[in-house]
Amino acid sequence: MSPDGTSAMDGPSSINGINSANSTLSIGELAARARTTVKTVRFYSDRGLLPEVSRSGGGHRRYGPEAPERLRTIRALRSLGVPVAEIGRVLESGDTLEGVVARRLADLGSELAALRWREAALRAVRDGDPANLAERLELIGAVGVPPSTAALAHYWRRVLPVRLSARLRGAVTEAAVPEPPADPAPEQVLAFARIHALATAATDHCLVSHRPATAAHPDLLYDGLHEAYLLVAATLRTDRAPGPGEALDCYVAAHARDAGTRDSPAFRRALTVRLAAADHPVMARYWHLAARLTPGPTLGGADGWLRTALEASVAAA
């Protein structure tokens, strides 16, 4: 038995585990040096991660003196969950250890986010009314993991005016689509599942009734509305009651420009009636659910605040 625990049957005599005849290691010597099994060495060797330098006269594999360190690197990366194929790229194509560790951390972050979502989803199913368990399971199960906002973005692309520029269409969609929370509560998983179902079920026919009042000049209108929403966002964070001010004036001016007129008491009265007539329960439901998923003010919340302020200004006039 050699000092490293290998048998004389593994090959010629060796010193410190390296064959004295040709400075190569047998598979048994390499396994002993790396404190692993012959089966493990053979597994990585068969996958090209541990190249042989030669074969013995009996056809047995021989490895170079650098093989133990290489094998320890392979096993360390595998213990961190790095796939075998990626380890091969690190060892052979010059990919850096820093790079592979950074990618593994990113992958692990995604895996943990998926696990947190699944845990919250299971709690949402478990904690609901037992009589509705199957329905709730189907609702939540329709959302993929990780959850995607593609259906919500598609919904908004169909709701917005056809002639709206790509710039504003993208900006409104980005602001209107709530991102799934990274660490959701069960009720947030349920809210996202419901808003996802709402967006998925919206057909082109029913979307006509979801759309805001038709805009004659959509870019003029939505540019002005965007400015008004930015002005009211800070106000919403202070819980100030809806009322007169720059945000409301900007909101009304945007609608007036679109209509080819100017702000006036008469226009405000007509605008109040027109906006109320354009209300739709599906859109109201959308913003109610979005508020549960968004930590800050939503576009729906900003629009609601401005609508209330407009109604108050009309009543006061």
Side-chain angles (χ1 to χ4, degrees):
M1 183 74 67
S2 64
D4 64 359
T6 58
S7 167
M9 296 293 291
D10 291 328
S13 60
S14 60
I15 299 174
N16 295 327
I18 300 180
N19 185 268
S20 57
N22 55 15
S23 298
T24 60
L25 295 165
S26 71
I27 193 168
E29 289 167 339
L30 176 55
R33 286 284 300 275
R35 297 186 179 181
T36 187
T37 65
V38 168
K39 183 178 179 181
T40 298
V41 176
R42 186 176 292 114
F43 174 84
Y44 292 128
S45 185
D46 288 345
R47 280 152 184 79
L49 299 183
L50 282 171
E52 311 159 22
V53 296
S54 64
R55 289 264 178 164
S56 69
H60 300 295
R61 310 176 199 218
R62 309 295 304 181
Y63 299 91
E66 75 289 344
E69 182 179 354
R70 186 181 178 97
L71 180 54
R72 284 191 289 270
T73 299
I74 293 168
R75 296 185 68 208
L77 290 172
R78 283 299 295 139
S79 72
L80 296 175
V82 179
V84 169
E86 192 161 357
I87 293 174
R89 290 195 293 272
V90 172
L91 297 174
E92 301 299 339
S93 63
D95 205 353
T96 64
L97 283 174
E98 290 84 353
V100 75
V101 169
R103 284 194 298 275
R104 183 58 191 142
L105 279 172
D107 291 343
L108 190 58
S110 299
E111 292 166 17
L112 288 172
L115 287 173
R116 286 192 291 268
W117 186 270
R118 285 195 176 102
E119 180 186 21
L122 287 168
R123 292 183 186 278
V125 173
R126 181 197 66 185
D127 297 341
D129 184 350
N132 298 327
L133 190 147
E135 179 184 353
R136 186 172 290 211
L137 179 62
E138 182 177 357
L139 178 69
I140 292 174
V143 177
V145 179
S148 170
T149 58
L152 279 63
H154 185 56
Y155 170 82
W156 276 98
R157 284 195 293 271
R158 293 181 293 163
V159 165
L160 291 169
V162 175
R163 292 185 295 112
L164 189 65
S165 67
R167 172 182 64 85
L168 282 168
R169 186 178 299 277
V172 173
T173 299
E174 182 179 356
V177 173
E179 287 295 326
D183 189 8
E187 58 269 20
Q188 289 179 308
V189 169
L190 191 56
F192 188 84
R194 284 174 172 156
I195 202 171
H196 181 273
L198 181 153
T200 303
T203 64
D204 286 332
H205 175 71
C206 76
L207 280 168
V208 174
S209 59
H210 297 196
R211 289 191 177 104
T214 301
H217 305 92
D219 275 32
L220 276 178
L221 174 61
Y222 279 84
D223 264 327
L225 293 180
H226 176 66
E227 184 180 351
Y229 293 154
L230 289 178
L231 288 169
V232 86
T235 303
L236 283 170
R237 293 188 179 93
T238 65
D239 293 328
R240 183 168 75 82
E246 185 182 5
L248 176 59
D249 292 344
C250 183
Y251 181 73
V252 175
H255 284 285
R257 280 195 302 271
D258 177 59
T261 186
R262 60 183 180 83
D263 187 1
S264 68
F267 177 76
R268 292 195 177 203
R269 286 193 298 272
L271 179 60
T272 301
V273 173
R274 181 160 61 86
L275 292 176
D279 277 340
H280 193 281
V282 170
M283 190 59 72
R285 176 69 169 159
Y286 182 98
W287 291 123
H288 175 73
L289 293 168
R292 298 184 181 185
L293 299 163
T294 306
T298 64
L299 288 183
D303 190 75
W305 191 97
L306 289 162
R307 293 268 299 275
T308 302
L310 174 62
E311 291 162 5
S313 76
V314 169

